[in-house]
Amino acid sequence: MDAEVKGKITGVAASEGVAVGPVFVHAPGELEPERENISEDAVEDELARFQGAVEAVVKKLSETAEGLRESGSEKEAGIFDAQIEMAEDPEVQEGVEERVKNLESPEVAVISVGEEYATLFAEMEDEYMAARADDVRDVASQIAAELMGHEATGLSALETPSVILARSLAPSDTARIPKGIALAFVTAEGSRTSHVSIMARSMGIPAVVGVGPDLEEAFEAETVAVDGGEGYAAVDPDPDTVAEFERKQERIEEEKAALEEYKHVEAHTGDGQRIEVSANLGSAEGAEDALGWGAEGVGLFRTEFLFMERPKLPSEEEQYEAYREMAQAFGEKPVIIRTLDVGGDKDLPGVDQPEEENPFLGWRGIRMCLDVPELFKPQLRAILRAASHGNLKMMFPMIVDAREVRRAKEIFEECRRELEEEGAETGSVEVGIMVETPAAVLCASEIASEISFFSIGTNDLVQYTLAADRGNERLRHLQGADHPAVLKLIEETCRAAREAGIWVGMCGEAAADPELIPKLVEMGVTELSMSAPSIPRAKKVVSEI
Ligand code: PEP
Ligand code: MG
């Protein structure tokens, strides 16, 4: 239908579903502190005021988190927990205090420090981390608003169910919208992993983000129709378009109802092949939600978020807690922890990283870990210790040959010996690798003799095979795992695995592609891992093979 849609604006398909409704434009004013500076004798009082404002904001955030938790929204509550951590972060606080001691007003200081951190986040190439920039800004402006005696701007007064348009929406904005009032979100900024997208998906609200300046076309409109699955909105749609959206809505409802029965089944193909369908997660916060969607485990636990959401490297103890929490949440179900996968494009606090011309071809993933044992060993020790609480497996990212695998395993065994000598409790951990480089496929037979499983990371495998940056909008036609070159590599990986008697999973985006799943299964992939809401559909596709 989209070819004929008039007044069409397009963006990123951030949350599936369609909605038609009246427009509400959320355009909060910028915070403009009246005072730039303070006098020297006011420093102590201003520092106390700053502390008071932080406490007030933390109190409000805690109340919001608690309210969300009571209504069963654990995942959304986690967003506010993270904001509390940011508000209380000692480095942020020290940064503000230093500026106040240099006679800057605390409201100006907190906005500046917030902006410094937001810029750091925004520069990270990882989409998820870049999206955290909005959170830092949001927290800083809440503290500044508190200092200035304003209520932070919000949508809490909205009474009519509406499609909400905004430059961006912070978690504190979405959380203030009364239940049932937001029909859809359309934002100028944002990516699939921005919080507005995460919130929209977990609220079951359609969302289109990253529309850019075209969004302004919709500001004067009365009605907007949003298709969050296709990533576009129609401004002031004509009656035919509205009717088309209504029909689509009915089809979506029917499909949702039909998928319900697949959530908690084990997926088998017609000839009895069992395919495990698991979730990709970045923290234990998503565990409950993933289990609700029918996750049979975690096929990819992206541990880098744990490292990048804080100003310093997480200690072994902090990592142990995080991995244990995840292991316990899934009980006997397998949880595959991917060891740290950051690179030259991401500023990892606590590690000296060089400027690189081609960060995606640079010092990332296992390369960095093998070079910096102080980074790698605490993670491996934490995994070994947490393994005594559940069914943990581990995989190394960005592998190119068997030598890297052997070296990583040696360090792992060294950690096990050290822990045993210390009398610490450890568990057994199956070791695998991510197949993300053509080199790993070419060396698959030799690598397979060292490990228990392969997990194909198509997001990177596609970019390295087709020499097409995974984030480059212009290269969309070169970003599909259905390219014959990529399919050959998947097939070869499966062949080498079969010969060595090990299993193959897939945790790249392609694992959720209904068109591709039958081919993957035919080639020999026996585990598919994806974002949790895609699980029921994948199980259905497998059952129909
Ligand atoms: C991949 O490359 O397919 C993958 C799952 O890893 P990430 O997206 O975290 O790079
Ligand atoms: Mg990858």
Side-chain angles (χ1 to χ4, degrees), residues 61-82 84 179 284-286 288 325:
L61 291 168
S62 312
E63 283 164 7
T64 311
E66 208 176 304
L68 285 164
R69 240 173 221 121
E70 275 165 15
S71 63
S73 304
E74 185 60 39
K75 192 168 166 187
E76 292 85 342
I79 294 177
F80 292 90
D81 292 341
I84 293 171
K179 248 194 160 65
E285 273 161 27
E288 201 184 324
E325 199 186 332

Side-chain angles (χ1 to χ4, degrees), residues 302 338 341 364 397-398 434 436 457 459-461 470:
R302 289 186 164 102
R338 172 173 73 185
D341 183 21
R364 64 170 294 204
M398 287 297 296
M434 289 196 68
E436 300 178 281
N459 308 343
D460 277 316
L461 185 61
R470 62 195 262 187

Side-chain angles (χ1 to χ4, degrees), residues 411-474:
I411 301 175
F412 184 55
E413 286 314 315
E414 200 176 298
C415 290
R416 184 190 295 283
R417 278 195 304 278
E418 283 172 11
L419 285 164
E420 277 166 7
E421 275 164 28
E422 290 164 26
E425 207 178 326
T426 60
S428 65
V429 180
E430 253 183 44
V431 177
I433 68 147
M434 289 196 68
V435 176
E436 300 178 281
T437 64
V441 181
L442 295 169
C443 299
S445 296
E446 197 188 347
I447 295 175
S449 66
E450 298 285 345
I451 54 169
S452 306
F453 65 93
F454 285 133
S455 181
I456 304 175
T458 46
N459 308 343
D460 277 316
L461 185 61
V462 171
Q463 84 161 344
Y464 294 130
T465 305
L466 304 180
D469 183 338
R470 62 195 262 187
N472 188 330
E473 292 270 309
R474 285 208 185 98

